[in-house]
Amino acid sequence: DLVKLTADQFNTGSLVGKTVCITAGPTREPIDPVRFLSNHSSGKMGYALAQACIEAGATVKLISGPVNISPVDRAEVIAVETAEEMLSAAMEHALGVDLFIAAAAVSDYRVAQRAPQKLKKVDSDDLQLVLVQNPDILASVAKHPQRPQCVVGFAAETNDVVRYAKDKLARKQLDWIVANDVSRTDSGFNHDDNAVTLISATSEQSISLAAKNQIAAQLVTILAASL
Amino acid sequence: DLVKLTADQFNTGSLVGKTVCITAGPTREPIDPVRFLSNHSSGKMGYALAQACIEAGATVKLISGPVNISPVDRAEVIAVETAEEMLSAAMEHALGVDLFIAAAAVSDYRVAQRAPQKLKKVDSDDLQLVLVQNPDILASVAKHPQRPQCVVGFAAETNDVVRYAKDKLARKQLDWIVANDVSRTDSGFNHDDNAVTLISATSEQSISLAAKNQIAAQLVTILAASL
């Protein structure tokens, strides 16, 4: 496979001596002991990036929400469930690293009052679920005094993808953002393939539809060169 | 393995010529194209029941929500996502069968207004999610003029398990209900083991902690004898 060979050759040793922290997968926000809010992130992109960074020689910590993927050999996995747990893990493991990649699809909201017992179906037809905003993990890391050297975010959108991504890049003080059109039926959430645009304050590079591990290798090539 | 051997011997041929329909797994209720409400059901109990019914000689249709389990050999799988899709599949496949087992953990509620595009995080801290009740699949099947000969429900509860189960048995006009304490840390949702109580209007039988396929074989033994 020529693309993978090429990417591997570029990446070999490109991250030797570097520390990388990656978040991956969805978070789950409990409503009660059996119900939760979540999203369709499979974790594949984050795990592929961890694999690519390992192959490039980095020391990798992978903060992972609940996924059904085999662990990445030689990456240290920190398993979390909620956004608040992911934030704690990021504060412990991401500060001061060379490269932080936030590939997780963190739930923006959690349930205001988590019920200690399973909620019973009530007689009324409607139910109001009050949600409160979760902490912004990416911005918390990017704006921290011990900020990683390079902070990379993802923008998974269904419309106006690049516009939203550039806004997020500036607002959260990121170095790079990977824009991802999840409305495409051939890529994105829960797919093995992806097509992304890697955006910085001064550049914009499209990576065309390919397997997520090939996309990951190409992203790592560009990111490693920027360190 | 003595328990499995015994159960297999009881079940061999006990459902020959019988039609069985089983629901399994969680449902997912979309909030927008990327977010959803769901629950911790793994689908293991429903899949184990399908396997046990196949081994007992039945023709099995398995209506399955999104799970990460290998399909059951010789069972016809109907894959669904939402409660409404599961109801449609049940109306098509469950009516008139000999045995209907509703092992799925159907979301009681769905989001009133599904957003066609990914919702943006808003400036206000709170978000009200309006939920409406989903159709009651089990009661719809049990109270239908073409009701299956035998209708079995599950009651996954975290407290007052048997009391809630008996109430559900009567209210939904079931023949049997399998009461399941999902607050136990050694069994239930997402575990390979389970411990249940099988309840009818006139009887109550406890099945102690065992692997889900052994629990399934014991349940099928009792259910087959009742047909």
Side-chain angles (χ1 to χ4, degrees):
Chain A
D1 182 323
L2 188 62
V3 180
K4 179 150 198 314
L5 274 177
T6 313
D8 282 351
Q9 281 170 335
F10 276 122
N11 288 334
T12 302
S14 66
L15 289 175
V16 167
K18 302 292 185 187
T19 51
V20 177
C21 181
I22 298 172
T23 66
T27 65
R28 278 187 187 162
E29 307 299 329
I31 299 170
D32 65 20
V34 299
R35 302 179 175 92
F36 58 79
L37 290 169
S38 192
N39 63 64
H40 287 290
S41 170
S42 64
K44 284 174 187 163
M45 196 64 225
Y47 275 61
L49 283 162
Q51 183 70 48
C53 289
I54 288 280
E55 287 169 8
T59 301
V60 177
K61 291 188 177 181
L62 178 59
I63 301 172
S64 177
V67 296
N68 287 285
I69 323 182
S70 303
V72 177
D73 193 27
R74 288 174 288 156
E76 180 189 340
V77 173
I78 299 103
V80 298
E81 188 100 359
T82 66
E84 288 177 308
E85 290 168 12
M86 190 172 273
L87 176 66
S88 297
M91 285 296 132
E92 187 178 343
H93 299 287
L95 298 180
V97 298
D98 296 300
L99 174 61
F100 175 61
I101 308 177
V106 180
S107 302
D108 291 334
Y109 294 91
R110 69 176 180 279
V111 179
Q113 290 276 18
R114 174 179 178 170
Q117 295 187 328
K118 185 183 169 189
L119 293 169
K120 304 306 297 178
K121 189 153 57 169
V122 288
D123 288 335
S124 68
D125 280 347
D126 287 8
L127 182 75
Q128 300 269 350
L129 203 58
V130 180
L131 306 180
V132 295
Q133 282 202 17
N134 267 324
D136 187 325
I137 298 170
L138 183 52
S140 300
V141 170
K143 297 178 181 179
H144 195 279
Q146 291 164 264
R147 180 191 200 281
Q149 187 191 337
C150 179
V151 175
V152 184
F154 271 71
E157 301 292 346
T158 53
N159 54 303
D160 295 324
V161 177
V162 170
R163 185 168 68 81
Y164 280 129
K166 286 182 171 171
D167 172 64
K168 190 170 174 179
L169 178 84
R171 190 164 29 86
K172 301 196 178 182
Q173 300 177 16
L174 312 179
D175 299 289
W176 299 91
I177 193 153
V178 184
N180 196 0
D181 183 349
V182 292
S183 73
R184 291 179 60 149
T185 56
D186 59 355
S187 64
F189 278 8
N190 256 322
H191 279 270
D192 290 326
D193 288 357
N194 212 351
V196 302
T197 306
L198 181 61
I199 300 166
S200 73
T202 55
S203 72
E204 193 176 319
Q205 300 171 63
S206 288
I207 302 182
S208 55
L209 189 67
K212 284 184 176 173
N213 59 359
Q214 293 171 5
I215 299 276
Q218 292 184 62
L219 288 173
V220 168
T221 301
I222 300 168
L223 295 172
S226 81
L227 289 180
Chain B
D1 182 324
L2 187 62
V3 180
K4 179 147 199 315
L5 274 177
T6 312
D8 281 352
Q9 281 169 335
F10 276 123
N11 288 335
T12 303
S14 65
L15 289 175
V16 167
K18 302 292 185 187
T19 51
V20 177
C21 181
I22 297 171
T23 66
T27 64
R28 277 186 187 163
E29 307 300 328
I31 299 170
D32 65 20
V34 299
R35 300 179 175 92
F36 57 79
L37 289 170
S38 191
N39 62 65
H40 287 289
S41 170
S42 64
K44 284 174 188 165
M45 195 64 224
Y47 276 60
L49 283 162
Q51 182 69 47
C53 289
I54 288 280
E55 287 169 8
T59 302
V60 176
K61 292 190 177 182
L62 178 59
I63 302 172
S64 178
V67 295
N68 286 284
I69 323 183
S70 303
V72 176
D73 192 30
R74 288 174 287 156
E76 179 189 341
V77 174
I78 299 102
V80 299
E81 189 100 0
T82 67
E84 289 177 308
E85 289 168 13
M86 190 172 273
L87 176 67
S88 298
M91 287 295 132
E92 186 177 345
H93 299 286
L95 298 179
V97 298
D98 295 300
L99 175 61
F100 175 61
I101 308 176
V106 180
S107 301
D108 292 334
Y109 293 90
R110 68 176 180 280
V111 179
Q113 291 276 18
R114 175 180 178 169
Q117 295 187 327
K118 186 183 169 189
L119 293 169
K120 305 306 296 177
K121 188 153 58 169
V122 287
D123 287 335
S124 68
D125 280 346
D126 289 8
L127 181 75
Q128 300 267 348
L129 204 58
V130 180
L131 307 180
V132 295
Q133 283 202 16
N134 266 325
D136 188 326
I137 298 170
L138 183 51
S140 300
V141 170
K143 297 179 181 179
H144 195 279
Q146 289 163 267
R147 180 191 199 281
Q149 187 191 338
C150 179
V151 175
V152 184
F154 271 71
E157 300 293 345
T158 53
N159 54 302
D160 295 322
V161 176
V162 170
R163 184 168 67 83
Y164 280 128
K166 286 182 172 172
D167 172 65
K168 190 171 174 179
L169 177 84
R171 189 165 29 88
K172 300 196 178 183
Q173 300 177 16
L174 312 180
D175 299 290
W176 299 91
I177 193 153
V178 184
N180 197 0
D181 183 350
V182 292
S183 72
R184 291 178 60 148
T185 55
D186 58 355
S187 63
F189 278 8
N190 256 323
H191 279 271
D192 289 326
D193 288 357
N194 213 352
V196 302
T197 306
L198 181 61
I199 300 167
S200 74
T202 56
S203 72
E204 192 175 320
Q205 300 171 64
S206 288
I207 302 180
S208 53
L209 188 68
K212 283 184 178 172
N213 59 358
Q214 292 170 5
I215 299 277
Q218 292 184 59
L219 288 173
V220 167
T221 299
I222 301 168
L223 296 173
S226 81
L227 289 180

